[in-house]
Amino acid sequence: MNKKNITLIGMPGAGKSTVGIVLAKILGMEFLDSDLLIQRREKKLLWQIIEEQGLDGFNRVEEEVNASIEAEHTIIATGGSAVYSEKAMRHLKEIGMVVYLKVSCEELKKRLGDLKNRGVSMKEGQTLEDLYEERRPLYEKYADITVDLEKTDIRQAAEMIAVRAE
């Protein structure tokens, strides 16, 4: 593989962590979830950070964490809002390949429960559809490859990425 890491981007509920763990096992790589790094650094859950620092504060913390990830031979699952930071995405592209896990808005609605308790970075009054339309062009912009999860299961998606990464 010519790039050291594989970073997974996509909407909340797309399967970044789940696919990431399976992919790490297939390729014999480490797995890192940047949301967990954020929680560890702040000693709070994502929704608590958003509640206390607001979206701008959360996005700033997320950018600092993602832009400072030092990893090799690692699958990195980012939070869905990682693409709001050009600085962080530039860093993640420098240290590896970026894969967009694409899922339809309809499928996401089925998968997601309470967005607030999940720590989803959303503006007041914003719907899941609004968020999807806002982020989709950013995911497409930063992705080296896109894997459509509508037509495949978790294991097949991980295997498709593994083949493309070699």
Side-chain angles (χ1 to χ4, degrees), residues 8-47:
L8 304 176
I9 61 172
M11 287 291 289
K16 298 177 297 290
S17 296
T18 308
V19 170
I21 289 168
V22 174
L23 183 58
K25 288 179 180 178
I26 290 171
L27 293 174
M29 295 173 74
E30 297 294 318
F31 175 76
L32 183 154
D33 185 316
S34 69
D35 281 347
L36 297 178
L37 289 180
I38 292 167
Q39 290 184 165
R40 186 179 314 134
R41 182 185 122 162
E42 297 297 303
K43 296 179 178 57
K44 291 181 175 72
L45 299 175
L46 298 179
W47 69 267

Side-chain angles (χ1 to χ4, degrees), residues 62-70 85 87-89 91-92:
E62 183 176 46
E63 177 179 76
E64 289 168 8
V65 169
N66 286 332
S68 66
I69 290 174
E70 294 298 328
S85 169
K87 176 183 176 186
M89 290 308 302
H91 172 70
L92 292 168

Side-chain angles (χ1 to χ4, degrees), residues 10 14 16 20 38 44 60-61 69-70 82 93 105 121 142 144 157:
K16 298 177 297 290
I38 292 167
K44 291 181 175 72
R60 200 167 31 256
V61 169
I69 290 174
E70 294 298 328
K93 284 180 80 68
C105 196
S121 178
Y142 292 117
D144 294 310

Side-chain angles (χ1 to χ4, degrees), residues 76-135:
I76 302 164
T78 63
S81 54
V83 291
Y84 289 136
S85 169
E86 188 173 334
K87 176 183 176 186
M89 290 308 302
R90 194 169 48 243
H91 172 70
L92 292 168
K93 284 180 80 68
E94 284 171 8
I95 65 168
M97 178 175 75
V98 175
V99 179
Y100 168 31
L101 299 183
K102 183 178 177 182
V103 178
S104 72
C105 196
E106 294 71 34
E107 179 62 25
L108 291 172
K109 280 184 189 173
K110 291 181 206 167
R111 294 181 186 189
L112 295 170
D114 183 349
L115 296 179
K116 181 183 182 294
N117 287 336
R118 201 178 161 104
V120 176
S121 178
M122 292 175 74
K123 298 178 190 100
E124 192 68 38
Q126 195 172 36
T127 66
L128 183 62
E129 290 86 353
D130 296 336
L131 194 66
Y132 186 85
E133 290 307 317
E134 179 179 290
R135 291 182 181 179

